[in-house]
Amino acid sequence: MVDISITAANVVVSGTGHSRTSGTAGETIPAGKAYYVDPTTKKWMLADSNSTTAEARHADGVTLNSASLNQPINGVKSGAVTIGGTLTAGVAYYLSDTPGGICPVADIGTGEYVCLLGIALSATVLDVDIHYSGVAL
């Protein structure tokens, strides 16, 4: 699977109309990564499409800043984000099997649970709109 390469320092909110949220990191999390909120600790963790933990396969959003364990972290649940990597406009991007990773639809592999993160609006902007199917390929 080929994830988009993200430069954390270049991740920013684009435009208006976002659903933003904040929390506490449960591990080191770079900006521009897909996360989920652990139901027990309420801390943010890197989402992963082939995790053995069901909650980890359903991303809650994309991080806007980097954080280490127990530090504050911010994210977007929906809305346009300059992702800090190169996208292909019009292509759907999904949670990958690399923790926190984002990949194009063509790179979803067998055994991965399908979690749409959003559609690329341009070569740099991802319109985050998460949909989790609960189905593995």
Side-chain angles (χ1 to χ4, degrees):
M1 173 166 307
V2 179
D3 292 348
I4 59 171
S5 179
I6 297 172
T7 302
N10 295 339
V11 177
V12 294
V13 171
S14 298
T16 60
H18 300 88
S19 174
R20 294 175 80 165
T21 187
S22 60
T24 302
E27 62 185 323
T28 299
I29 303 176
K33 296 296 183 177
Y35 72 89
Y36 75 100
V37 179
D38 182 280
T40 304
T41 66
K42 307 300 183 211
K43 293 182 180 181
W44 292 20
M45 306 293 289
L46 293 169
D48 183 346
S49 69
N50 67 348
S51 175
T52 57
T53 304
E55 294 85 5
R57 300 187 298 247
H58 180 184
D60 288 318
V62 175
T63 59
L64 293 173
N65 65 289
S66 299
S68 295
L69 176 63
N70 294 324
Q71 289 185 325
I73 191 161
N74 299 295
V76 170
K77 289 180 159 285
S78 65
V81 174
T82 299
I83 200 67
T86 303
L87 306 172
T88 301
V91 169
Y93 285 85
Y94 290 79
L95 178 62
S96 86
D97 64 356
T98 302
I102 300 172
C103 69
V105 64
D107 289 335
I108 298 173
T110 302
E112 294 180 51
Y113 284 78
V114 179
C115 183
L116 173 67
L117 298 177
I119 306 290
L121 299 178
S122 71
T124 58
V125 177
L126 181 67
D127 184 21
V128 177
D129 188 13
I130 297 172
H131 296 275
Y132 178 63
S133 70
V135 175
L137 294 181

